[in-house]
Amino acid sequence: MGVQVQPQHAEYAELRRAASTLEEMGVDVIFNWDHFFPLNGDPDGAHFECWTMLAALAESTERVEIGPLVSCLSYRNPHLLADMARTVDHISGGRLIFGIGSGWAERDYTEYGYEFGTAGSRLDALAAALPVIRDRWSRLNPPPTREVPVMIGGGGERKTLRIVAEHATIWHAFGDVETLVRKNRVLDEWCASVGRDPGEIERSSGVAPTPGRQPEDVADYAGAAQQLYDIGTRLFTVGWSTTDPDLGKVRDLVAWRDEVNARAR
């Protein structure tokens, strides 16, 4: 299971302590996000950059995997992004999950001077960049410590899921159970079209509140996760806010994960 530590409305020391606490609780992955301004609360509140934070978390944690959920391709040259990811992979000792998406937050683009384009043009750029990133990994010295897992976020059925079928190790999906059942079926169809075994792509989703896109008022994380598990989801992520942390719900989800794993043995 994963926890997305929201890099906003907090001092960095608080974010570091949150990551340490979550690692001690037994979570499997700590994610952040790749934006330049808060996604909720005061839109001009405190906020930290994604990849420099990940490099620091790579040093301050020991066991958990880390990664962006998800990095925005538009903000960095793909060769540079590949090198940054490779470096964080080495700092962490091979614990990076490379989350990547096409981007959507227009304010990030306009205030930092990036061309926003259209949803279609951003997805086209993502599809073109993923082979470039893998090629750059193959030519870096030293190369990544392992075959870096590539997590692609999004659920567009015409373009995004085709890109997932072609390139992803993990697909992070959005929506309620009914929506995800349909999108899983569409992804399987794209896998058949491109000649990929759909079983090679781990299914991931949030359970609450962000990046879940399940109902924002989910009270029972474990119950929501069980519904997702029943339709094939295997990576479950909850949002963590330093302004309103809820250790109890995270503990419940860790306990549910352990029970599921024990039954599977």
Side-chain angles (χ1 to χ4, degrees), residues 8 15-16 19 25 33 71 78 84 86 125 128 131 137 139 144 150 173 182 198 202 209 231 250 258:
Q8 61 179 12
L15 301 174
R16 184 181 62 240
M25 292 174 66
W33 64 42
S71 191
M84 292 166 59
R86 181 280 311 252
W137 281 338
R139 293 191 285 134
V150 174
R182 186 186 74 252
E202 183 177 4
I231 63 168
V250 175
D258 291 344

Side-chain angles (χ1 to χ4, degrees), residues 5-8 10 12 15 32-37 46-57 68 71-72 75-76 80-81 84 88 112 114:
V5 176
Q6 302 170 4
Q8 61 179 12
Y12 176 71
L15 301 174
N32 62 0
W33 64 42
D34 191 13
H35 294 283
F36 304 133
F37 301 96
H47 195 279
F48 290 99
E49 193 275 329
C50 171
W51 279 95
T52 44
M53 178 180 169
L54 287 172
L57 292 182
S71 191
C72 177
Y75 303 157
R76 302 163 193 89
L80 172 62
L81 183 57
M84 292 166 59
V88 172
Y112 276 62
Y114 298 109

Side-chain angles (χ1 to χ4, degrees), residues 10 13 26 32 34 36 42 46 48 51 55 63 70 78 105 116 135 157 170 203 206 209 217 220 229 236 240 254 258:
N32 62 0
D34 191 13
F36 304 133
D42 180 359
F48 290 99
W51 279 95
R63 177 192 58 79
V70 290
F116 188 53
D135 178 66
E157 297 178 10
I170 306 168
R203 313 302 165 104
D217 60 350
D220 178 8
Y229 183 87
F236 309 89
W240 173 277
V254 169
D258 291 344

Side-chain angles (χ1 to χ4, degrees), residues 11 28 72 88 103 108 113 125 137 143 150 154 171 175 235 237 240 250 261:
E11 297 294 330
D28 300 302
C72 177
V88 172
D108 290 348
W137 281 338
V150 174
W171 169 48
L235 176 58
T237 300
W240 173 277
V250 175
N261 289 341

Side-chain angles (χ1 to χ4, degrees), residues 47-265:
H47 195 279
F48 290 99
E49 193 275 329
C50 171
W51 279 95
T52 44
M53 178 180 169
L54 287 172
L57 292 182
E59 284 283 5
S60 66
T61 58
E62 297 179 354
R63 177 192 58 79
V64 290
E65 292 184 293
I66 60 172
L69 185 58
V70 290
S71 191
C72 177
L73 173 73
S74 308
Y75 303 157
R76 302 163 193 89
N77 173 285
H79 295 274
L80 172 62
L81 183 57
D83 203 343
M84 292 166 59
R86 181 280 311 252
T87 301
V88 172
D89 172 65
H90 275 265
I91 295 170
S92 68
R95 294 182 284 124
L96 176 71
I97 294 176
F98 181 69
I100 186 75
S102 60
W104 60 270
E106 187 170 4
R107 184 185 180 191
D108 290 348
Y109 286 79
T110 56
E111 293 219 22
Y112 276 62
Y114 298 109
E115 181 181 351
F116 188 53
T118 65
S121 68
R122 295 193 299 274
L123 283 167
D124 291 342
L126 176 63
L130 284 165
V132 172
I133 290 168
R134 289 191 184 276
D135 178 66
R136 177 56 60 184
W137 281 338
S138 73
R139 293 191 285 134
L140 288 169
N141 184 16
T145 65
R146 62 173 178 169
E147 185 174 345
V148 178
V150 174
M151 169 187 276
I152 296 177
E157 297 178 10
R158 187 171 64 88
K159 283 192 173 184
T160 304
L161 293 184
R162 174 178 55 80
I163 297 169
V164 170
E166 292 172 339
H167 299 288
T169 312
I170 306 168
W171 169 48
H172 187 79
F174 309 103
D176 58 23
V177 170
E178 181 179 357
T179 299
L180 293 179
V181 167
R182 186 186 74 252
K183 291 186 181 295
N184 270 309
R185 185 169 59 249
V186 173
L187 176 57
D188 291 348
E189 292 168 355
W190 273 118
C191 286
S193 178
V194 303
R196 181 95 184 270
D197 178 359
E200 295 177 357
I201 303 172
E202 183 177 4
R203 313 302 165 104
S204 169
S205 184
V207 292
T210 53
R213 315 299 166 85
Q214 289 270 77
E216 294 292 314
D217 60 350
V218 168
D220 178 8
Y221 284 8
Q226 183 64 55
Q227 293 180 34
L228 294 168
Y229 183 87
D230 291 341
I231 63 168
T233 304
R234 292 298 179 266
L235 176 58
F236 309 89
T237 300
V238 298
W240 173 277
S241 168
T242 58
T243 60
D244 187 25
D246 193 333
L247 291 173
K249 288 183 178 180
V250 175
R251 289 194 186 98
D252 288 346
L253 195 53
V254 169
W256 171 84
R257 177 206 63 193
D258 291 344
E259 291 172 5
V260 169
N261 289 341
R263 292 197 300 267
R265 287 198 290 267

